Amino acid sequence: MDSDGRHEQQVVWAVVGTGIGPLLLAATREGLVNVVFHATDAVRDKAVERLRSRLGVEPVEAPDSPLLAEAIRQVRAYFAGERHDFDLPLDWSLISGFNRQVLRELASGVPYGAVVGYGDLAGRVGQPGAAQAVGVAMGSNPLPVVVPCHRVVESDGGIGGFGGGLETKRKLLALEGVLPEPLF
């Protein structure tokens, strides 16, 4: 606690190996705040610096932190094919407005093994015709995998874009049975 008896902001992070490469998971007392793909040393360092800048506190590597324990367990179970839904507290402080509204709808309304079009998702949040804005929201998702932006595809059957790379999106959709497993 700080001198006024309030809890100081705390950010902890860890890197977890997965079937799509290392993921950085970061959490606050509010919940999981960030998931970062391809968490090599350089990517990790940039992500930690971005968290420090955005949240105003120095993130601490703490793979054994109780704030991360359940997120790590659920991410591992998801990639092992043992879990289809994440049941985690989420800290939405890195995103706001329309983007937060779209991501919340995505998290609650598009289940494992299903996909939704960008335009359909726009309609679900009362903004028909805002498919491009939904694409921007997907690109700004601070919680990929847990908030499943990989499940958003083009209405013509195309896979669409993905911040983690198209191969990562294909692997996630294959894990969920939407696409066949890649042959190589």
Side-chain angles (χ1 to χ4, degrees), residues 27-41:
T28 66
R29 285 187 180 89
E30 298 296 316
L32 191 66
V33 70
N34 203 200
V35 176
V36 179
F37 290 112
H38 315 299
T40 60
D41 291 348

Side-chain angles (χ1 to χ4, degrees), residues 123-156:
R124 288 186 187 193
V125 296
Q127 298 292 325
Q132 282 188 312
V134 167
V136 171
M138 297 305 103
S140 65
N141 181 3
L143 296 161
V145 179
V146 175
V147 176
C149 52
H150 60 277
R151 297 180 189 154
V152 183
V153 297
E154 296 173 348
S155 60
D156 66 2

Side-chain angles (χ1 to χ4, degrees), residues 59-148:
V60 176
E61 184 176 15
D64 296 326
S65 171
L67 297 177
L68 286 169
E70 186 60 17
I72 291 170
R73 188 186 73 70
Q74 288 188 29
V75 164
R76 286 183 174 149
Y78 171 81
F79 282 101
E82 300 164 356
R83 181 173 200 90
H84 294 173
D85 301 305
F86 291 97
D87 184 20
L88 295 168
L90 301 177
D91 179 336
W92 294 94
S93 63
L94 293 178
I95 195 146
S96 61
F98 176 78
N99 292 355
R100 183 187 292 188
Q101 181 185 10
V102 168
L103 292 172
R104 283 182 181 258
E105 173 59 31
L106 175 63
S108 65
V110 183
Y112 183 96
V115 294
V116 66
Y118 293 94
D120 293 334
L121 192 53
R124 288 186 187 193
V125 296
Q127 298 292 325
Q132 282 188 312
V134 167
V136 171
M138 297 305 103
S140 65
N141 181 3
L143 296 161
V145 179
V146 175
V147 176

